[in-house]
Amino acid sequence: MAQIKLQNVEDYYEIGEVLGSGHFGQVRAVLERASKVHWAGKFLKLRRSASSRLGLERKSVEREVEILQSLQHANVMALRDVFESRAEVVLIVELISGGELFDFIAEKESLSEEEAIEFLKQILMGVGFMHTKNIAHFDLKPENIMLADKTMPHPHIKIIDFGLAHCLKQGEEYRSLSGTPQYIAPEVINYEPLSEAADIWLSGLSPFQGDNDEETLKNIVGMIYEFEENYFTQTSTMAKDFIEKLLVKDPIERMTADECLVHPWIKPLTRKQADN
Ligand SMILES: COc1cc(-c2ccc3ncc(-c4cccc([C@@H](O)NCCN(C)C)c4)n3n2)ccc1O
């Protein structure tokens, strides 16, 4: 468990290039001075006063640190160190060098269902693990699924960006409108109490995609979607059954991560089922 250090992060790590940035702040490559091991540092600006709109509230940063400290899993980005100064918190996490899964797939001529299942199994194992701890990610989307490295034949999935994640407490309602429009579940749009089920929604090629965010959100709430022929002609019946069991509006009726892992498309019972 990383204890929050009040020392200067640069006493321990050499700060390198910017790897990426977003709502979460900046991610930079860092080099641990003592071990010469490469890590990634997520630099988060803290809000200077209660009235300020700039920077993150301390309690949301503390929540993310607590969540990351409780998640040790092969398919979840690992937390190594936390440094805090007056205006900034730096999370030192494992460096993920394989890039985004989205880009890896985009660079391929095609993706077989077997390859898709391999990726999906790892994502579901990571999500299933966080759900056993009542932690929901609430921002699962292709950009937040990365590859530890691109070694074939078994690329290693890492789930990142727990900036919107929440540990759900029994008997406590949690609602949020945060997330990315084309990937959020209907219960988020309807501002209903949320559960881990909000993570088990489609987060690939969205069949709800509208011409703009407003239309997309309307499609999701109205369950208006279609499997565009030119994308799904080669898709097996079993795969479509799997997707349809995810796109269930009622979160209680939707498959859980563990149920997904035993769905016949992911875990065929017989060779015949596998060829469906
Ligand atoms: C700890 O929280 C985060 C960690 C990371 C993270 C962790 C390790 C790591 N190794 C390499 C990278 C990396 C490399 C290039 C781009 C990015 C990132 O800006 N794009 C990833 C998806 N984005 C939408 C969050 C991240 N990362 N990013 C990204 C977002 C986070 O909220």
Side-chain angles (χ1 to χ4, degrees):
M1 287 280 204
Q3 295 307 318
I4 297 182
K5 294 184 168 74
L6 299 177
Q7 294 96 328
N8 180 349
V9 61
E10 295 198 60
D11 292 345
Y12 295 84
Y13 295 86
E14 193 182 306
I15 311 302
E17 59 169 336
V18 174
L19 295 172
S21 56
H23 69 85
F24 52 86
Q26 250 190 354
V27 175
R28 303 180 72 120
V30 299
L31 177 68
E32 188 173 15
R33 295 186 189 280
S35 64
K36 298 302 177 206
V37 173
H38 292 277
W39 302 90
K42 179 181 179 182
F43 292 74
L44 297 164
K45 293 278 181 234
L46 289 173
R47 202 163 277 181
R48 290 181 180 252
S49 69
S51 58
S52 166
R53 305 284 300 156
L54 293 175
L56 292 169
E57 286 184 26
R58 175 181 297 280
K59 72 175 185 325
S60 74
V61 176
E62 285 168 353
R63 179 188 310 122
E64 182 176 354
V65 170
E66 210 173 299
I67 283 172
L68 286 174
Q69 287 180 330
S70 69
L71 292 177
Q72 282 97 39
H73 187 273
N75 299 117
V76 175
M77 160 203 72
L79 177 69
R80 156 86 178 179
D81 240 335
V82 184
F83 288 84
E84 179 183 351
S85 66
R86 200 175 44 76
E88 183 176 66
V89 172
V90 183
L91 309 185
I92 304 292
V93 296
E94 67 177 301
L95 179 64
I96 301 172
S97 313
E100 295 176 16
L101 175 61
F102 202 80
D103 298 332
F104 177 81
I105 292 172
E107 286 157 15
K108 289 172 68 67
E109 281 288 301
S110 64
L111 184 78
S112 69
E113 286 194 13
E114 288 68 25
E115 289 171 313
I117 290 167
E118 262 323 295
F119 287 129
L120 209 44
K121 272 182 188 169
Q122 291 187 52
I123 295 168
L124 288 165
M125 287 190 286
V127 173
F129 175 75
M130 58 178 95
H131 288 180
T132 61
K133 292 179 172 279
N134 303 117
I135 291 169
H137 186 280
F138 289 137
D139 198 16
L140 286 178
K141 55 184 178 182
E143 304 95 303
N144 286 339
I145 308 292
M146 293 188 76
L147 297 177
D149 46 50
K150 285 180 181 169
T151 53
M152 297 304 285
H154 304 296
H156 184 171
I157 290 282
K158 291 281 182 181
I159 299 168
I160 66 165
D161 196 353
F162 286 75
L164 298 182
H166 211 87
C167 187
L168 300 165
K169 303 267 190 297
Q170 198 70 32
E172 267 181 33
E173 278 194 2
Y174 174 69
R175 301 166 195 253
S176 168
L177 281 174
S178 303
T180 307
Q182 65 261 52
Y183 303 115
I184 56 178
E187 61 270 22
V188 177
I189 301 166
N190 291 331
Y191 202 58
E192 292 161 357
L194 301 180
S195 68
E196 293 86 345
D199 283 340
I200 307 294
W201 184 251
L202 190 75
S203 65
L205 177 74
S206 175
F208 297 101
Q209 186 71 50
D211 295 338
N212 54 51
D213 283 353
E214 186 187 351
E215 193 180 297
T216 301
L217 295 176
K218 274 187 189 152
N219 290 344
I220 294 172
V221 171
M223 293 302 285
I224 303 159
Y225 69 90
E226 57 177 347
F227 290 118
E228 273 196 54
E229 267 318 293
N230 48 337
Y231 291 117
F232 290 92
T233 39
Q234 302 300 317
T235 306
S236 68
T237 312
M238 204 57 90
K240 283 181 187 164
D241 179 75
F242 179 84
I243 294 170
E244 278 161 8
K245 286 189 167 67
L246 290 185
L247 297 181
V248 171
K249 188 167 184 178
D250 182 349
I252 297 173
E253 296 304 316
R254 201 177 301 152
M255 279 199 296
T256 64
D258 287 345
E259 287 165 348
C260 289
L261 281 165
V262 295
H263 181 279
W265 183 54
I266 300 286
K267 189 175 182 182
L269 297 172
T270 62
R271 173 53 37 217
K272 182 177 180 316
Q273 224 180 19
D275 299 338
N276 236 335

